[in-house]
Amino acid sequence: MSELYLYPRWVRLWHWTNALLFILLMFSGASMHFNGVGLLLDFQAAITLHNTAGILLTAGWIGFVIGNLVTGNGRHYQVQLRGFLKRLITQSIYYGYGIFNNAPHPFHPSSEAKLNTLQQVTYIGVMYLLMPLLILSGWAFLFSVYLPETLFGIGSVWVVAMSHLTVAYLLILFLLVHIYIITTGETVLTNMRAMLTGWHRDTHQETEA
Amino acid sequence: MRRRVINKGDTQLGVTWAWGSRTIGTALLLLGSLHAGASAVQDASDNKSCLRCHQMATLAYRDPTSGEIVDLSVDPNALSHSTHGELACSDCHAADYEQYPHPDRLKDEALACVGCHEEQDDAQERRYRFETIDKEFKHSVHVTSDAPEAADFGCHSCHDPHAFRNSEVGEDIAQIVRDDNAICMSCHEELNDPYRDPHLWLPKREKHREAVRCLDCHTPVSESGQPVSHQILAGEDSNRDCVQCHSKAPQLLNRLYQYRSETDLANKGWLSKAVFNEAYVVGMSRSPLIDRAALAIIAITLLGLGAHGYGRYRAYRRSKEDQT
């Protein structure tokens, strides 16, 4: 049985703020996008909520990047190329096969590496590719007057709108998989508890010296 | 506030602006007698001399031929705020107005917008080129229509030269829309009649009327680089396709959204714009292809996750059974 303090307070605060903003953004975004369909927000209220949450999300993302630069948390996002493919395949085989046969977890978080390779790649893609695209396209929506009239020969507002929409859908997909995957810890709630308390428990792992 | 001129003879674009009456009317005669022999317009740049009479809201006469009232009044406040506000009356009305009553021949005074505007030094740099406007206008339904109401239609039918001004970025969008649509509605009274309004097919009619200008649907997307075409389209030729604004069609959407965005920004500053963004148009981010594909992928993912979870549950049950 080991207990590791993996998630410092600022990471947890950022994570749950981000989660809340994500839910608000999804709901208000859907209310704008599918306005008129039942159970959605009033159009103007949705716009205000969506934009406010978007601004806060931007601030949160900047905070996250700065946090990773000035604290040790950034090391979890540095890919170790040695054995990368092997680790990635091992992890994928576990989720696709081993997990149904009660195989042991191939990865055990440590203070050096709290993310398995599959997680790491996903989070890098989400935080350093999709999130910037989402944020940029969101702001471009608001300040499209400063953009050229056309981008790639198509009206720029349309390009911006479609980018924002596509990235938003990809992030919804991420969120669904993310919420599911965190239940694949030692118990269904192990990972969730870790993000709430900061402490990761692992009965199959000896406490580090 | 713009006001439509009811000078019946106001045909423009090089056509004569006729006063339309054989005599200038009894009202003027009466007024003129007060000033008989005086040289009223001593200083051409001094509009006060003209406005002394013409600012009277009731200055008008009835055209003996048509029987219509010809309004001769000019609202000094509207004039000073209008696009022509800095001009002297005599810059346009160059003819001899010193006599009272003004001589009969002045009713044939020719005033052409295009000529004057294209002669100006900055004509090239203007957002609107009057030559283009002229070309577009000639294809406008107001010109091509045989309807008697459209006879003698000209610039001044919509643009009161004594009051008109271009809306500017920074003004309240709702106010711009109201003012603009008021021009159309001043003739198209049937639009206010719920039984005759040809827009009955349009969902959220009132919302549209408050939010977009008639012109936004009733003009083709201009390729001249000018913000709005002067080729006003007949109802049957106008845009009836919701997705032209509420979805892709980059041009129409661009025109609408960008203008509203600019105005929004200038009105409120960037932070407020960022929070409230009045420019967003319902459905502008909609793409049936992306929506369908994404919703399908999300559904498949959910099914996959559900199946995965079920597989894990069975594995868990098996391990429990093995333990017992």
Side-chain angles (χ1 to χ4, degrees), chain B residues 1-305:
Chain B
M1 178 73 188
R2 281 178 214 144
R3 189 175 43 78
R4 187 173 165 270
V5 200
I6 51 172
N7 288 355
K8 184 180 170 285
D10 266 1
T11 54
Q12 267 302 302
L13 295 165
V15 188
T16 307
W17 181 1
W19 288 112
S21 146
R22 286 172 63 92
T23 58
I24 296 291
T26 42
L28 272 188
L29 277 172
L30 198 71
L31 280 163
S33 64
L34 297 171
H35 299 273
S39 179
V41 192
Q42 295 292 341
D43 182 0
S45 67
D46 187 2
N47 291 347
K48 277 184 191 158
S49 312
C50 305
L51 288 172
R52 206 157 75 193
C53 298
H54 283 278
Q55 73 178 346
M56 286 191 293
T58 51
L59 190 69
Y61 68 94
R62 187 179 291 279
D63 184 296
T65 345
S66 69
E68 285 198 28
I69 288 178
V70 178
D71 183 2
L72 297 175
S73 74
V74 173
D75 177 354
N77 191 35
L79 177 64
S80 63
H81 288 93
S82 79
T83 189
H84 296 138
E86 288 177 13
L87 299 181
C89 300
S90 56
D91 286 346
C92 299
H93 304 282
D96 187 7
Y97 277 94
E98 287 155 17
Q99 284 179 32
Y100 292 104
H102 299 321
D104 240 14
R105 62 188 151 79
L106 292 179
K107 72 184 186 228
D108 294 327
E109 185 186 32
L111 284 175
C113 302
V114 177
C116 189
H117 277 273
E118 282 296 321
E119 277 165 22
Q120 286 176 349
D121 298 337
D122 62 349
Q124 303 278 347
E125 298 137 36
R126 281 170 178 264
R127 241 178 142 189
Y128 280 104
R129 291 299 307 272
F130 277 69
E131 278 173 356
T132 316
I133 291 178
D134 192 17
K135 280 185 205 135
E136 291 168 345
F137 175 72
K138 285 192 172 116
H139 294 102
S140 167
V141 67
H142 291 139
V143 174
T144 55
S145 166
D146 296 328
E149 305 95 289
D152 296 333
F153 201 92
C155 300
H156 296 159
S157 306
C158 298
H159 303 290
D160 180 348
H162 298 125
F164 180 79
R165 61 179 187 80
N166 277 323
S167 61
E168 278 167 19
V169 164
E171 289 172 32
D172 180 29
I173 294 178
Q175 188 62 41
I176 293 175
V177 170
R178 246 193 319 274
D179 287 352
D180 226 277
N181 291 352
I183 296 176
C184 307
M185 306 284 274
S186 68
C187 287
H188 293 279
E189 289 160 346
E190 74 274 15
L191 301 180
N192 283 325
D193 180 345
Y195 296 105
R196 289 195 299 149
D197 184 359
H199 297 101
L200 289 176
W201 63 276
L202 182 69
K204 298 207 187 273
R205 214 152 32 110
E206 278 311 306
K207 193 84 189 156
H208 275 101
R209 202 176 273 190
E210 288 164 17
V212 286
R213 298 171 302 172
C214 305
L215 293 172
D216 288 316
C217 295
H218 288 281
T219 57
V221 172
S222 173
E223 282 169 17
S224 61
Q226 300 190 161
V228 172
S229 170
H230 275 71
Q231 184 191 341
I232 312 298
L233 299 169
E236 57 270 25
D237 299 326
S238 300
N239 172 42
R240 274 179 175 241
D241 193 356
C242 307
V243 293
Q244 290 281 323
C245 292
H246 292 287
S247 180
K248 51 181 187 183
Q251 285 173 307
L252 210 57
L253 178 66
N254 249 6
R255 181 172 85 181
L256 195 64
Y257 184 75
Q258 295 291 55
Y259 182 77
R260 290 169 72 87
S261 277
E262 258 180 77
T263 302
D264 229 9
L265 259 172
N267 274 353
K268 299 179 179 157
W270 72 269
L271 184 62
S272 180
K273 153 78 179 163
V275 174
F276 297 108
N277 190 26
E278 271 191 47
Y280 189 85
V281 182
V282 180
M284 66 181 297
S285 58
R286 249 186 239 182
S287 153
L289 179 71
I290 297 180
D291 279 346
R292 275 189 208 133
L295 294 175
I297 293 170
I298 287 173
I300 292 167
T301 306
L302 282 173
L303 282 174
L305 293 178

